[in-house]
Amino acid sequence: MSDAPTSAPAVPDRSGDDAATPTPPRIVDTPETRVHHPSDLLGVVLCLVGAVLVMVLATYAHNTTSGVAEDVEGVASLLQDLLVVPTALLESIVTFFVPAAVLAELAIRRLGRQILEGVGASVVSVFASSTVLWLVEHIGSDQLVSGLSVRLGGVWTVTIPGYIALIAGLLTVTGPRTRRRTVAWSWNLVWVAIGIMVITGSVSITGVGVALLIGRAGGLATRYVSGARSERAYGTSLVDGIRRAGFDPALLIRIPDDVPTDDLPVPADEPGTPAARGMARYSDHRVYEMTTADGSLYDVLIYDGDRQVIGFLSRLWRSIRLRGLDGRSTVSLRQAAERSALLSYTATAAGVCSPQLHALSEAESSMILVQDRIDDAVPLADLNPEAIDDDALRAIWAQLGKAHEAGLAHRALTSDVVLLGRDGDGAPQVWLIGWEQGDVASSELAQRMDRTQMVALLALRVGPTRALQSAVAVLDEGDIAAIGPLLQTVALPRRTREELRAHKQVLAQLRSALVDTLPQADVEPVALNRFGARTLITVLLTVAAVIVLLTTINLQTILDALQETDWRLSLLAFAFGMSTLFGAALTLVAFSPEKISLWRATVTQSAATFVALAAPAGIGPAALNLRLLTRRGVSGPLATATVALVQVSQFVVTVLMLLVLSVVSGTNQLERFTISPTVMLAVGILVGLIAALMLVPKVRQWVAAKTLPTLQQTWPRLIEVVGQPSRLLLGIGGNALTTLGYVLAFEVCLRAFGQDLSLVQVAIVFLLGNTAGSVAPTPGGVGTTELALGGALAVVGVNPGVATSVAVLFRVLTYWLRIPVGWASMRYLRKVGEL
């Protein structure tokens, strides 16, 4: 940290005496001359996404773009003759004189660094546009090439003008048009030149769009990496802003952003009070200690505009991801500061112990907030647990209750924003700071989240038992019970989540303590996430699989096959597919510990075909079977064991059927499955890696944790079923019917396309392909199952196009056409009260 005295300009005294000149203040600060704007990085991403979208538009709307090009081709030659001198002149000016003029202005202003940045951005943009042009010409589809082309000299030519990208990159990194006169008229000239070149047919409008976006991305990327000149308020401008707020600073000391956490000792000479250091920890704002000319002490918070985009994106992401939370309309820096001031004033007026906000002003691209200094309070993060007694816990809850009574919700309670001090009599005095993310007219859910956050942060400081006891002492049973469903990390602020990573057992201990206190309380987590990482991955995999599938199948081949083959084959395959529902119902009835009608079990399996739209393959039937058993009075563990037994038995029976079919056929049907040495080597390496991993104790423990519970649940039920041969045979028969139904349906689809394979080969192809497709967590195995089945058919010699078509036809008849039946079954089960 540097000690940099800064002399502020003379301003009239507030008393009106023009002769009074304020003493230059002493400023201890670490000013940043260049900053990396997150908005520049966001702009790079948006420009690249825009370039991709333009190329997608050129690909799928190439007929439209080609038609426009042909329409202007007739007048292009005439316009080129009439505008030959202006067009050539404009191209020359844009290509040579615009960069020269901009660089000359920078040289005159002696901005050598910006000259280097401009040259670097130009090089990056030209290289990027040339790379994209090469990729389009060599590996781009015909539609993409056509969409980015214009007819030049009677030949269609791809046009992504590199000089447009060069100029866009140069002008972007140079700065906004309001700051550089050459930048302002250069952009105007570029737009005029682009319009004339598009009208005369010299370039394609899509190619120009891609070049402009690539140039913008190159300029923004260069500016982000190099950094832009800081527009934050430092030194004289900071002092001027504070004086406009009505204060005459004599000393300003910056609180360092990297203040030690509670795990590290605070140096004796560390500037700032514990409260100020807590403010610097919990926020992204600059914090200063200010001593005025008359000796008064204040804290100064500085909101910087270049940091506002991060807060906006964070709030936007949480409002999208979390359900039940109000969205945030705060976008500009002024709105953020005014919102913080409103919360601070309201909290103080409500009697909450919070530092009094005195003034708000603006300087450069920063907003300045001046508030009282808290001298005798320490954040909970810096206190030993022994210092937080029961009286302090009651005082903490009292302050939060006072805020809630006034309609306030904090929404970001951490151990840095809850401060504890002592008054003259030794009684605890609690302060709540950091209200900028709060609500004035808060909802019930927001206040419930406040109470949940408070319990969690207190549990990290004094232990789960004491934290919950302190809440029970001041809250009613309804508020205590409402905490349980919200005890999840997604409802907690970032600082608390980071602390919980080192104490992962705290939330579980809190739930246990809550159940011990209120046995009737529901601690099942409520769904706050609209989606999680697993859901996002599932959606992306599904979309990717569907895109690959749609670009691979030969729809015309399927239609031709359906027209040429007997339509009764499709009905037969559909019937075989429906028979699998009856087989699955037989297995469930056989293994169920309670009597279930075969009709209800069959309807449940049918309803599972509808649930498969939203659940990965195999999950839907298991969930509905579990629900059916529990509705019949079967206990949770026993129902889970029964469902596990159904799934394990299906796997065992399938393997046994393969062996039986191979023996009965009397021939080696596997000889047509030719496997290349490369595949064999890959399989060997995979087996070796798995064997090596199993030598690691933690890996063995993880595998045991995943498999042993299922075996432990299944084994008692298996022993019980084995003791009843009739039920065992019924279950085996149901599993066999399920597998055989799918295999026969697959065989019929093969014959519809004129393919003739043995039953053993069909069974192996189906079982291998269906198993591989079910591994991916896509709903119902959509896309992955079709690709896996088609790939398995290709291995046995079926034409890849025909193989994919067979797989699609099979899935249409055994998956998609059953969904309406599953929907009707689901409605029926809900109507009769089974679900």
Side-chain angles (χ1 to χ4, degrees), residues 38-220:
S39 57
D40 289 340
L41 186 59
L42 178 62
V44 172
V45 175
L46 294 179
C47 287
L48 294 178
V49 171
V52 172
L53 292 178
V54 170
M55 288 190 285
V56 170
L57 178 64
T59 300
Y60 290 98
H62 66 279
N63 291 332
T64 302
T65 56
S66 299
V68 173
E70 292 175 356
D71 291 338
V72 301
E73 184 181 4
V75 297
S77 58
L78 176 61
L79 290 174
Q80 288 174 352
D81 292 338
L82 295 176
L83 301 175
V84 61
V85 175
T87 301
L89 181 59
L90 279 174
E91 290 181 356
S92 300
I93 292 175
V94 169
T95 306
F96 299 106
F97 292 105
V98 165
V102 172
L103 294 177
E105 181 183 5
L106 295 178
I108 293 173
R109 295 176 179 269
R110 297 182 180 180
L111 300 174
R113 178 166 181 155
Q114 278 198 285
I115 293 176
L116 295 177
E117 292 173 351
V119 173
S122 302
V123 173
V124 169
S125 301
V126 170
F127 177 78
S129 63
S130 301
T131 302
V132 172
L133 177 61
W134 185 88
L135 292 174
V136 170
E137 290 178 338
H138 289 80
I139 64 175
S141 64
D142 294 339
Q143 293 85 353
L144 178 59
V145 171
S146 177
L148 295 175
S149 300
V150 293
R151 191 183 296 274
L152 298 176
V155 179
W156 286 99
T157 306
V158 180
T159 56
I160 301 180
Y163 62 90
I164 295 294
L166 180 150
I167 295 168
L170 173 64
L171 297 181
T172 298
V173 81
T174 302
R177 61 172 63 215
T178 55
R179 184 178 300 171
R180 304 274 184 267
R181 182 172 299 179
T182 55
V183 173
W185 63 257
S186 294
W187 274 118
N188 295 334
L189 191 60
V190 167
W191 288 117
V192 171
I194 289 175
I196 293 177
M197 287 185 288
V198 169
I199 293 175
T200 57
S202 302
V203 295
S204 65
I205 188 171
T206 51
V208 169
V210 171
L212 279 172
L213 290 169
I214 291 176
R216 286 284 294 176
L220 291 171

Side-chain angles (χ1 to χ4, degrees), residues 470-496:
S470 69
V472 171
V474 297
L475 302 178
D476 56 38
E477 287 191 2
D479 291 337
I480 296 296
I483 291 175
L486 296 180
L487 279 174
Q488 43 189 309
T489 55
V490 71
L492 304 176
R494 177 174 56 85
R495 175 66 190 275
T496 306

Side-chain angles (χ1 to χ4, degrees), residues 95 115 200 224 288 319 331 443 538 569 606 681 722 763 787 827:
T95 306
I115 293 176
T200 57
Y224 179 78
Y288 292 82
S319 64
V331 177
S443 64
T538 298
L569 287 177
S606 177
L681 178 61
V722 169
L787 294 175
R827 293 290 301 270

Side-chain angles (χ1 to χ4, degrees), residues 13-14 22-23 25 239 242-243 246-251 290-294:
D13 187 77
R14 288 194 301 252
T23 303
V239 172
I242 294 175
R243 284 176 174 164
F247 296 87
D248 185 12
L251 175 64
M290 181 177 70
T291 303
T292 61
D294 59 4

Side-chain angles (χ1 to χ4, degrees), residues 52 109 302 526 577 764:
V52 172
R109 295 176 179 269
I302 311 297
V526 67
I764 293 175

Side-chain angles (χ1 to χ4, degrees), residues 598-682:
L598 185 59
W599 163 251
R600 290 292 172 86
T602 304
V603 174
T604 301
Q605 308 313 307
S606 177
T609 61
F610 177 71
V611 177
L613 276 173
I619 301 300
L624 287 183
N625 288 340
L626 187 63
R627 180 63 175 170
L628 182 65
L629 291 172
T630 54
R631 293 287 291 180
R632 285 289 189 277
V634 181
S635 63
L638 186 57
T640 303
T642 302
V643 172
L645 180 59
V646 170
Q647 294 178 321
V648 171
S649 65
Q650 179 67 51
F651 172 77
V652 173
V653 170
T654 300
V655 174
L656 292 176
M657 282 188 65
L658 281 175
L659 296 176
V660 170
L661 288 173
S662 181
V663 172
V664 170
S665 64
T667 59
N668 184 14
Q669 298 293 341
L670 299 178
E671 63 184 2
R672 294 179 61 179
F673 285 84
T674 57
I675 302 178
S676 66
T678 304
V679 175
M680 291 292 293
L681 178 61

